[in-house]
Amino acid sequence: MKDLNEILSNINKAIERYENCKLGLVHEQAEIARDLSVNLHWLTAHRKQAHEDWLSVYMNSKANSSAAKEREADIKVGELYMIRHITTSANKVLDMLRSTISINKQ
């Protein structure tokens, strides 16, 4: 599994490349989409591990209510929240890249 910081850095670089890319450069946009897709794949492995860690904290919690167990797990496994939001955001950028590539093909 790739290092989480490396993956996040690569996602940020891909988004910065897209931000600075001219709209008509389909080949460059395809490369950015590829980089973003690959790094989202690697991020999924970290999300899976973080979810397993979160469930472990939740199940082993001494708290009395589900809400208290969730709060404890959220605090102890904060990367799950971060990974979920980065994944959502990066997927929106990837969708936009696909749309831009599709429009420029015509």
Side-chain angles (χ1 to χ4, degrees), residues 10-25:
N10 290 341
I11 289 171
N12 282 331
K13 287 176 187 174
I15 292 172
E16 285 175 8
R17 283 176 55 205
Y18 178 55
E19 181 180 31
N20 297 316
C21 181
K22 295 191 189 245
L23 291 176
L25 299 177

Side-chain angles (χ1 to χ4, degrees), residues 3 19 37 42 47 49 78 81 106:
D3 178 59
E19 181 180 31
S37 296
W42 292 116
R47 189 199 62 76
Q49 183 60 52
Y81 178 83
Q106 298 174 4

